[in-house]
Amino acid sequence: MKRSLRSVCMVVAIALGAVFHGVLGECNAYLPYGVGAMLFITFMGVHVEEMKPRWLHFWILAAIPLLALAYWLVARASGFPVLAESLFYCAAAPIAVASPVIVQLLRGNVEFSTTAMLLSHASFALTMPLLLPLLLEAPDLTYAELAVLVAKQLGAVLLLPSLLAFAVRWMYPPSRAWASKLADVSLGLWCVNLAVISAWGTQHLMESGVGLQALVPLGLGALAVCAVGFVVGYRMGYPSLKRECSQALGQKNTILVLYIAAQSYSHPLAYVGPVFYIFFHNFANSVQIFLASREKKR
């Protein structure tokens, strides 16, 4: 039921953002707080003491940026710089915070998925300030200036919420239960964030004057990245952790990369790929859950 509700809310949020882009597009300053609050709720329920990193986790952490760079290089070498940036965002995103929930529905190893999710966010925060200035075209900023800017923005939405969550848990241990109690609040924040990003993107699309034909390669590229991520992850974790690794490389924290793609140093069209990715990885999750349910009945 929650999965269905989340999918419906996702479509409604994107549609509302597109329709009311004039009003919601001006709320861009809200995004760091909205994304940070959503991640704060997630971190409140994390049990760090139960994390047990394996070598396979580090292979996953290496595969995420390597695949992202490979997509960027291929698209860039083919003469499609906007597509290259969009595909990079799709593939470089850390593992979605909902991934352990999906793995639980698939009757997989939740501990493995939770560890992978947390490590991927830490890796994303450390590597993106170093990588993005090398890949983006921001003539008004030097490498150091852009690196510091990205680091500040990621610190605001990733580092501060995690530190605050662990501080609250340390001072008041029963607060660990807040994450499950605030699940609906987190869903609401997710929808508001998505609506604002959709409004921002729609506004920039209208200002750029591009046609629908320019969006097709971005959508197809996001579909390819999604499919490859799930398949490569499945093969990487075969045979005992195939579902867990498939989720790790396929299901992404799209809200976080959409926040980055909404910044002034990103191309106005680069956010389109991650928007398409939202639909694709949710569809893939639905298929996986359906197959797991059918297998359980058998």
Side-chain angles (χ1 to χ4, degrees):
M1 181 64 183
K2 285 287 185 180
R3 290 287 306 163
S4 301
L5 178 63
R6 188 179 181 92
S7 299
V8 171
C9 289
M10 172 190 69
V11 176
V12 172
I14 292 176
L16 287 176
V19 173
F20 300 103
H21 61 88
V23 177
L24 294 175
E26 300 300 322
C27 301
N28 219 23
Y30 149 84
L31 279 177
Y33 305 100
V35 176
M38 187 177 68
L39 291 173
F40 168 77
I41 294 174
T42 299
F43 293 139
M44 285 297 297
V46 169
H47 299 278
V48 179
E49 64 277 5
E50 296 180 4
M51 289 178 58
K52 297 178 180 179
R54 308 185 189 182
W55 277 111
L56 190 53
H57 283 117
F58 297 103
W59 282 111
I60 291 172
L61 295 183
I64 291 174
L66 288 176
L67 284 172
L69 287 172
Y71 294 129
W72 184 88
L73 286 170
V74 171
R76 187 80 184 189
S78 301
F80 301 102
V82 178
L83 178 62
E85 186 176 336
S86 185
L87 296 185
F88 178 82
Y89 285 136
C90 289
I95 302 167
V97 294
S99 178
V101 178
I102 303 300
V103 168
Q104 186 175 31
L105 293 175
L106 298 175
R107 295 180 292 119
N109 189 327
V110 178
E111 177 190 276
F112 180 92
S113 295
T114 302
T115 302
M117 182 269 291
L118 291 174
L119 290 176
S120 72
H121 280 78
S123 176
F124 184 83
L126 293 173
T127 58
M128 284 306 104
L130 302 176
L131 284 178
L132 277 182
L134 295 173
L135 308 180
L136 302 182
E137 296 179 357
D140 297 333
L141 297 172
T142 65
Y143 175 90
E145 290 172 339
L146 185 52
V148 170
L149 180 59
V150 174
K152 286 181 178 178
Q153 290 170 338
L154 286 177
V157 299
L158 273 178
L159 182 61
L160 290 181
S162 62
L163 292 177
L164 180 61
F166 293 135
V168 171
R169 284 171 37 162
W170 178 73
M171 291 185 292
Y172 185 63
S175 62
R176 288 186 176 187
W178 292 357
S180 57
K181 294 178 180 179
L182 295 175
D184 291 336
V185 175
S186 181
L187 176 63
L189 289 169
W190 190 84
C191 290
V192 173
N193 294 335
L194 198 55
V196 173
I197 290 171
S198 175
W200 178 92
T202 302
Q203 202 165 357
H204 277 68
L205 281 176
M206 295 179 68
E207 291 173 357
S208 64
V210 298
L212 291 177
Q213 68 276 7
L215 307 183
V216 174
L218 299 174
L220 293 177
L223 175 60
V225 172
C226 184
V228 170
F230 276 102
V231 172
V232 170
Y234 187 91
R235 295 302 305 170
M236 182 181 291
Y238 189 85
S240 59
L241 292 169
K242 54 189 179 184
R243 290 172 176 172
E244 293 81 353
C245 291
S246 179
Q247 282 290 310
L249 292 186
Q251 191 176 359
K252 302 291 187 177
N253 189 340
T254 44
I255 285 291
L256 187 56
V257 289
L258 281 171
Y259 166 68
I260 297 298
Q263 304 305 317
S264 58
Y265 48 74
S266 297
H267 192 281
L269 289 181
Y271 94 104
V272 174
V275 169
F276 277 111
Y277 199 99
I278 293 173
F279 292 97
F280 297 142
H281 81 167
N282 276 282
F283 176 77
N285 286 334
S286 299
V287 171
Q288 283 188 315
I289 292 172
F290 170 76
L291 294 176
S293 300
R294 190 175 65 174
E295 182 181 326
K296 183 178 181 181
K297 289 179 181 178
R298 287 178 177 176

